[in-house]
């Protein structure tokens, strides 16, 4: 696909301007926060390269770049759990985007949960070996083995 | 301060276990998504090194690591705009945390806005030079020059 982003200008232009001039990191990626358009919960944090960002903008469906698999990845291509983007925002220095999505299917997380953030970290004490994470909203919404098989 | 995290085990232990075993990247950082505990809006995306994560857990106030300034950074140390953490979650592979905060003061963004995501990206067309960002929730909540001076 053909696409083009604006060139990065001075700080003032990046922060106060109307051009999309993303700041990709040394690996060519920016951070994407994905929230549920209805509940507002954070579903996942992932990365986009330039093509994933362009495809998301063009299609209105979430595309990411998998750092583990080193490949472009249309969310839901294996599971059918597509994400329809209702809104995209970019942050001040344009190294992160926030997308609000309608999640198709039971969940966004490859572990079978609705969302990736299913464990709480207890606060108030410096972390040590005694720290115990607390499962929250951790019910499995689908069986990852049957959905992903060996592609997980 | 003294702190210790668990060692990274096998995938099953990282994803389904109760030990906090963060996955810091090559620069020693993980991603933190910070949302407003009341509105649910994403206020900012930033990074934490091990010490910032430990200090946040211990104090219940947000600490980050500034990639630009290469230093540990207590949110609000210059501006007074401290973030009180009401909940922290960690994601499936433990390379990202989500904190819900009560934001003290008028805003979280160094540009003077309540939050960093004050521009929308129009969807439905491949991005090119004609793309125009749309300002949303972009009113200045404070004057960054008077709050940060030259420390911005």
């Amino acid at each position: 696909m053909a696409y083009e982003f604006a060139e990065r200008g001075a700080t003032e232009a990046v922060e106060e301007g109307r051009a999309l001039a993303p700041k990709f990191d040394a690996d060519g990626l920016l951070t994407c926060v994905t929230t549920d358009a209805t509940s507002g919960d954070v579903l996942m944090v992932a990365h986009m390269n330039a093509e994933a960002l362009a495809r998301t903008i063009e299609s209105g469906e979430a595309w990411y770049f998998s750092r583990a698999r080193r490949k472009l990845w249309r969310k839901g291509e294996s599971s059918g759990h597509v994400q329809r983007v209702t809104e995209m925002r970019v942050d001040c220095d344009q190294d992160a985007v926030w997308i609000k999505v309608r999640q198709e299917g039971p969940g966004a997380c490859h572990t079978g949960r609705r969302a990736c953030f299913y464990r709480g970290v207890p606060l108030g004490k410096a972390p040590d070996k005694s720290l115990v994470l607390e499962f929250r909203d951790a019910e499995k919404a689908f069986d990852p083995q049957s959905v992903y098989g060996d592609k997980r």
Side-chain angles (χ1 to χ4, degrees), chain A residues 2 6 15 22 28 35 38-39 56 58 60 62 66 86 92 105 113 123 126 130 132 149:
Chain A
E15 295 181 350
T35 64
T38 304
S39 71
T56 302
E58 182 185 41
S66 168
T86 63
C92 44
R113 275 91 175 188
L123 303 173
S130 71
V132 177

Side-chain angles (χ1 to χ4, degrees), chain A residues 103-131:
Chain A
Q103 175 72 56
E104 308 264 314
C109 182
H110 76 286
T111 67
R113 275 91 175 188
R114 194 179 53 78
C116 296
F117 292 87
Y118 50 83
R119 286 172 295 183
V121 182
L123 303 173
K125 181 171 171 291
D128 61 25
K129 300 280 186 187
S130 71
L131 185 150

Side-chain angles (χ1 to χ4, degrees), chain A residues 128-141:
Chain A
D128 61 25
K129 300 280 186 187
S130 71
L131 185 150
V132 177
L133 298 176
E134 300 160 2
F135 281 81
R136 293 179 198 155
D137 307 320
E139 314 78 51
K140 297 260 183 163

Side-chain angles (χ1 to χ4, degrees), chain A residues 47-84:
Chain A
H47 294 82
M48 291 180 174
N49 64 358
E51 185 172 348
L53 178 61
R55 286 182 180 272
T56 302
I57 292 170
E58 182 185 41
S59 68
E61 296 187 358
W63 286 74
Y64 301 105
F65 184 86
S66 168
R67 293 189 298 179
R69 290 177 285 142
R70 302 300 307 166
K71 68 184 282 281
L72 193 70
W73 155 45
R74 185 172 75 91
K75 179 65 181 169
E77 67 188 9
S78 297
S79 63
H81 304 166
V82 172
Q83 294 174 336
R84 315 279 180 196

